[in-house]
Amino acid sequence: MELPQGISRVMEISAQNRAEDLERIGATLTAAKNQVREIIQDLTGPQMEAIIKKLGKGDPLTQEEKDYVRSWIIGDAESYTRVENHLQTWIQEFNALKAAVQGYEGREVTVQDLLNLHAIIEDAVRVAGNIEAFLEKKERIERFEASIDSLDKKDAPFIIEVLQKKLASEEL
């Protein structure tokens, strides 16, 4: 299978870009992400169908089969947490924003001070969202790891349902 071409060209931005340019870039990147997901599904779908049948019979999974299940359920989260290298920067930025907010607490403020505080809080919301998204993925991985090693017959129907939905859906 061939990977989508031209993704990096679409990602070229500058200070002269407008918000609508970035909206268009975001839509193109979303389409590319979906295309990559579909390639993954095409490459691993037959193995996943066999794993679903095996789980339906109550047979235990091999480590390789567990790895396929892992890739379908948390592969995105594992990859994201592995390649994302801004967590410490985000935490430092959030702490700096916290300090900036503290500078406004307990003092008389002007309208301009309130506007500045509003901007600082808006930035803090953005940074907190980045941190939250990273931690959510990390926690998803931890929950999966705790459950896959102790997978038994009573868990199989749930895993089968999740995998079948992913197999039938356009989302991985």
Side-chain angles (χ1 to χ4, degrees):
M1 295 244 153
E2 192 171 308
L3 292 175
Q5 298 298 305
I7 297 171
S8 61
R9 272 193 315 272
V10 175
M11 296 173 70
E12 293 177 19
I13 64 169
S14 70
Q16 285 72 41
N17 283 106
R18 298 184 325 239
E20 68 185 42
D21 297 331
L22 273 290
E23 184 178 340
R24 201 172 20 261
I25 290 169
T28 302
L29 291 173
T30 298
K33 184 178 86 160
N34 291 340
Q35 188 177 4
V36 169
R37 182 200 62 246
E38 289 170 12
I39 293 169
I40 294 168
Q41 286 177 321
D42 289 346
L43 290 173
T44 59
Q47 294 91 335
M48 198 53 60
E49 289 172 352
I51 290 168
I52 290 169
K53 287 179 186 173
K54 192 171 181 180
L55 284 169
K57 294 178 190 173
D59 295 340
L61 299 181
T62 66
Q63 186 58 49
E64 182 180 10
E65 291 166 332
K66 286 180 183 181
D67 289 342
Y68 273 110
V69 172
R70 176 179 285 103
S71 72
W72 274 49
I73 294 179
I74 61 164
D76 62 321
E78 283 182 320
S79 294
Y80 178 83
T81 58
R82 188 173 42 254
V83 301
E84 177 51 66
N85 59 1
H86 293 99
L87 180 62
Q88 290 309 314
T89 303
W90 291 333
I91 291 170
Q92 290 169 349
E93 183 178 359
F94 194 81
N95 286 331
L97 292 165
K98 174 186 167 192
V101 168
Q102 287 172 332
Y104 288 93
E105 292 176 349
R107 69 177 179 114
E108 285 291 318
V109 291
T110 65
V111 171
Q112 187 60 52
D113 289 334
L114 291 171
L115 290 169
N116 292 343
L117 178 59
H118 185 275
I120 293 167
I121 293 171
E122 181 177 352
D123 205 19
V125 168
R126 178 194 54 81
V127 175
N130 290 339
I131 295 169
E132 183 266 335
F134 182 91
L135 294 177
E136 184 276 327
K137 287 170 179 50
K138 187 176 170 199
E139 291 165 10
R140 217 174 100 208
I141 294 166
E142 291 167 358
R143 285 191 306 272
F144 177 83
E145 293 298 338
S147 67
I148 192 69
D149 290 331
S150 61
L151 183 65
D152 59 20
K153 288 182 182 181
K154 70 176 175 47
D155 299 322
F158 174 73
I159 298 293
I160 290 170
E161 181 182 349
V162 169
L163 295 174
Q164 285 176 331
K165 283 181 180 177
K166 288 183 175 285
L167 196 59
S169 114
E170 293 183 4
E171 290 190 27
L172 180 65

